[in-house]
Amino acid sequence: EISVEPTGVDLETFADGDGPAFRRKLGVDAGALLLAYVGRIAPEKNVAFLAAAVAEALARLDRAHFVAIGAGPAEGDMVDALEARGAADRAHFAGVCEGAELVDAYHAADAFVFASKTETQGVVLVEAMAAGCPVVALDAPGVREVVRDGENGYLLDREDPRAFAELIERLADLDAGA
């Protein structure tokens, strides 16, 4: 007999976190807009596109910072891409975070940015939203099943760094108006 064992996310685990403490650890002030990515930093997560889109957003939003949480073989490439676009001074690489530190990271973020086109479950998307963090992501299988465009985040139907940055800007405008 075959049975399906779904991966679950305990929503209560992500309900409360110390975002200000995580920001202090990064050296990011409370008034900054913090964009976060959590996951493997690898080509299959489309991090080259993500770096270009984040760099565009940082160029448009002078109070914005970016944090990548995770590790992987493309971390150096991501750093190089951000440096090449003049965005490295507001980019932070926190390494792998787990437990309470990961929950704090989600609570520190104003937006969760995600560019993978090959998700099977999108667990990090659910975790981010459980922490109250809206998502900006590429519209892809595994992502569109979690993110409802215009409700709990924004989905982009093409790999266009400028358009992705505009969606981040839209979230920033909503945050500023709140």
Side-chain angles (χ1 to χ4, degrees), residues 54-76:
V54 163
E56 179 75 23
L58 295 182
R60 292 165 170 261
L61 301 162
D62 60 0
R63 66 182 186 93
H65 284 251
F66 168 69
V67 61
I69 299 160
E75 187 172 338

Side-chain angles (χ1 to χ4, degrees), residues 42-129:
E44 68 270 13
K45 297 297 185 179
N46 202 16
V47 294
F49 167 78
L50 186 64
V54 163
E56 179 75 23
L58 295 182
R60 292 165 170 261
L61 301 162
D62 60 0
R63 66 182 186 93
H65 284 251
F66 168 69
V67 61
I69 299 160
E75 187 172 338
D77 294 339
M78 192 175 211
V79 170
D80 292 346
L82 289 163
E83 282 178 354
R85 293 174 174 89
D89 61 328
R90 289 182 284 139
H92 313 269
F93 289 81
V96 175
C97 296
E98 296 175 320
E101 185 181 26
L102 178 61
V103 174
D104 292 348
Y106 282 121
H107 279 270
D110 296 297
F112 186 75
V113 292
F114 198 70
S116 177
K117 299 182 290 184
T118 59
E119 284 310 294
T120 54
Q121 298 181 41
V123 172
V124 292
L125 299 166
V126 176
E127 291 174 350
M129 290 186 293

